[in-house]
Amino acid sequence: MHIVVVPGTNRAGSLSSMLAKLALADYAALGHSTDLLELALGPEFLEPEAYKKPKPAVTALVDRFLAADGVVFVVPEYNGSYPGVLKLFIDMLPYPQGFDRRPCAFIGLSAGGFQALRAVEHLQGVAGYRNAFVYPNRVFIGESHKQFDAANRLVDARLAERVRNQAVGFVQFIAALKTR
Ligand SMILES: Cc1cc2nc3c(=O)[nH]c(=O)nc-3n(C[C@H](O)[C@H](O)[C@H](O)COP(=O)(O)O)c2cc1C
């Protein structure tokens, strides 16, 4: 299976990006091909013509998303929602094939105690509206600045296990959908 992991921000030094790399490693360890789709959106994404006539820089990122058997969003909470840069990327996905019947899983990360619940649920709302197959087992993590050690691993072994378990369950979910 081909799993695309999307860190939901382009912020330099993002902890979501760090977490996305850990999640990606779990899928790789399970024997799946992986792609870390960093939202390094250039100015081409802001061009008014980008929706109808996307430049190659836009198409290249969009095509990587479309190649996914399953997409894992690692979503930081920004101002009580998910980051604008992620919505801009989503708005460049072709309709309906961007999300339609595409399995999606969600991990939320926030500095505060709400553990990115709103961010994930807002994003789930968009994915669900676009007919994604939403994997119901989500992972929520708060107090982001306390969660990583010097080697960029999760400090709490139970959290690391939750991320790993989500990977195991998500690939089973995708496989079950493929047999239908
Ligand atoms: C623009 C911006 C807005 C943020 N808004 C919130 C917020 O509403 N609630 C919260 O708990 N943390 C908020 N944070 C903190 C992030 O959730 C925190 O940095 C976390 O580590 C995940 O984001 P990161 O991937 O950028 O590190 C915000 C951070 C930024 C940069």
Side-chain angles (χ1 to χ4, degrees):
M1 250 172 245
H2 184 60
I3 305 296
V4 174
V5 181
V6 181
T9 179
N10 60 348
R11 189 180 76 79
S14 156
L15 296 177
S16 307
S17 197
M18 201 180 279
L19 182 57
K21 286 173 191 145
L22 297 178
L24 185 117
D26 288 336
Y27 288 95
L30 291 169
H32 299 285
S33 80
T34 54
D35 185 9
L36 186 73
L37 207 172
E38 304 257 25
L39 297 179
L41 310 191
E44 301 86 356
F45 277 83
L46 289 172
E47 291 176 7
E49 295 298 319
Y51 301 89
K52 284 271 183 235
K53 293 180 199 157
K55 295 255 174 79
V58 175
T59 314
L61 280 193
V62 165
D63 285 349
R64 283 169 59 192
F65 185 95
L66 297 178
D69 292 309
V71 177
V72 182
F73 290 98
V74 183
V75 194
E77 179 163 326
Y78 282 8
N79 295 308
S81 188
Y82 63 90
V85 69
L86 177 55
K87 184 61 161 62
L88 178 60
F89 177 69
I90 287 172
D91 290 345
M92 292 302 149
L93 295 173
Y95 171 81
Q97 62 268 41
F99 274 107
D100 201 56
R101 304 173 69 82
R102 193 177 302 282
C104 295
F106 301 87
I107 300 173
L109 183 67
S110 75
F114 291 109
Q115 304 187 324
L117 177 68
R118 284 190 205 87
V120 168
E121 295 208 330
H122 290 179
L123 180 55
Q124 272 189 262
V126 171
Y129 177 73
R130 284 300 180 209
N131 294 343
F133 288 146
V134 171
Y135 181 57
N137 293 352
R138 304 162 297 174
V139 178
F140 296 105
I141 304 175
E143 300 189 302
S144 54
H145 293 93
K146 296 183 185 166
Q147 304 298 350
F148 299 89
D149 65 16
N152 298 344
R153 288 174 309 225
L154 282 167
V155 173
D156 184 343
R158 288 166 308 175
L159 269 186
E161 194 182 347
R162 243 188 266 163
V163 173
R164 217 167 18 248
N165 287 344
Q166 187 194 50
V168 171
F170 186 44
V171 294
Q172 286 170 353
F173 177 78
I174 300 168
L177 289 169
K178 279 184 184 290
T179 61
R180 286 172 177 254

